[in-house]
Amino acid sequence: QQQVRQSPQSLTVWEGETAILNCSYEDSTFDYFPWYWQFPRESPALLIAIRPVSNKKEDGRFTIFFNKREKKLSLHITDSQPGDSATYFCAAKGNTGKLIFGLGTTLQVQP
Amino acid sequence: EAAVTQSPRNKVAVTGGKVTLSCNQTNNHNNMYWYRQDTGHGLRLIHYSYGAGSTEKGDIPDGYKASRPSQENFSLILELATPSQTSVYFCASGDDWGGGEQYFGPGTRLTVL
């Protein structure tokens, strides 16, 4: 049972477009939602994170939109660049204290 | 300078052999984690620790043991390696139990023949 689901599995956009990566979760006790990105042959690194007290978190070209009622969040990457090509993982933490990762969305930005 | 290091970076083991993967962190974080990453399964938590001397089972602990002899070091032990344990293993450290940022090591690619 996948507690954190991501879609699409893969996404291709053109340079300059906005990429939208989706994430949904099941457990309403989750209270921290980080997004990690991972480049080929590298390790995951924290990109941006949000807590349910906010419905939006922005960091440069990266924005998380959070809908607590629907248990959904999305990562928007505006003005996408080829260097943004990576796999993006949505994760969630609940009262167990563990981070649960989704299966990832692989983003390809075409120049 | 890398704050989480892993050794070895690559390892080929034989079925039934013992494998030890080592992790060292200089972040002075209390919490450390071992994950494996496989295509189609994302990152899965094997064992974790919230301080020297402690180890806890993660989501997929079967076939693995862990050891945290010090704040800095966290090892993952495969007593009897099997081909199904072929994977990329990541160690991570964090300063807040699962809530703060987790810093990942470079990974160890393990192949069990």
Side-chain angles (χ1 to χ4, degrees), chain A residues 35-47 61-62 75 77 80-89 105-109, chain B residues 9 37 43 88 90 104-107 109:
Chain A
W35 285 82
Y36 283 78
W37 58 350
Q38 183 178 27
F39 297 97
R41 295 172 297 282
E42 294 189 12
S43 53
L46 180 68
L47 174 62
R61 297 184 294 107
F62 301 89
L75 175 68
I77 307 172
S80 296
Q81 301 296 309
D84 298 333
S85 298
T87 298
Y88 292 77
F89 293 98
T105 294
T106 299
L107 173 67
Q108 186 71 32
V109 181
Chain B
R9 294 294 312 278
Q37 186 174 36
L43 286 157
V88 178
F90 288 103
F104 283 80
R109 185 173 296 275

Side-chain angles (χ1 to χ4, degrees), chain B residues 81-93:
Chain B
T82 68
S84 66
Q85 294 175 312
T86 293
S87 186
V88 178
Y89 291 85
F90 288 103
C91 174
S93 74

Side-chain angles (χ1 to χ4, degrees), chain A residues 12-54:
Chain A
T12 299
V13 299
W14 293 103
E15 183 175 355
E17 292 186 332
T18 296
I20 300 175
L21 289 67
N22 300 304
C23 180
S24 63
Y25 61 97
E26 309 223 335
D27 191 334
S28 59
T29 66
F30 288 158
D31 61 2
Y32 173 72
F33 299 89
W35 285 82
Y36 283 78
W37 58 350
Q38 183 178 27
F39 297 97
R41 295 172 297 282
E42 294 189 12
S43 53
L46 180 68
L47 174 62
I48 187 172
I50 194 168
R51 296 191 183 271
V53 293
S54 303

Side-chain angles (χ1 to χ4, degrees), chain B residues 2-74:
Chain B
V4 182
T5 57
Q6 295 181 230
S7 64
R9 294 294 312 278
N10 293 280
K11 173 75 176 178
V12 178
V14 296
T15 297
K18 182 177 180 179
V19 177
T20 300
L21 306 183
S22 300
C23 178
N24 177 275
Q25 56 107 353
T26 57
N27 296 319
N28 198 31
H29 289 156
N30 288 328
N31 307 321
M32 296 186 74
Y33 315 83
W34 275 107
Y35 295 90
R36 63 178 285 178
Q37 186 174 36
D38 305 284
T39 302
H41 290 279
L43 286 157
R44 293 183 290 174
L45 183 64
I46 305 170
H47 283 287
Y48 58 93
S49 167
Y50 46 83
S54 87
T55 60
E56 303 291 334
K57 294 181 179 179
D59 298 319
I60 54 164
D62 293 346
Y64 302 94
K65 292 183 180 178
S67 174
R68 182 86 182 271
S70 65
Q71 178 83 340
E72 298 79 19
N73 296 293
F74 190 36

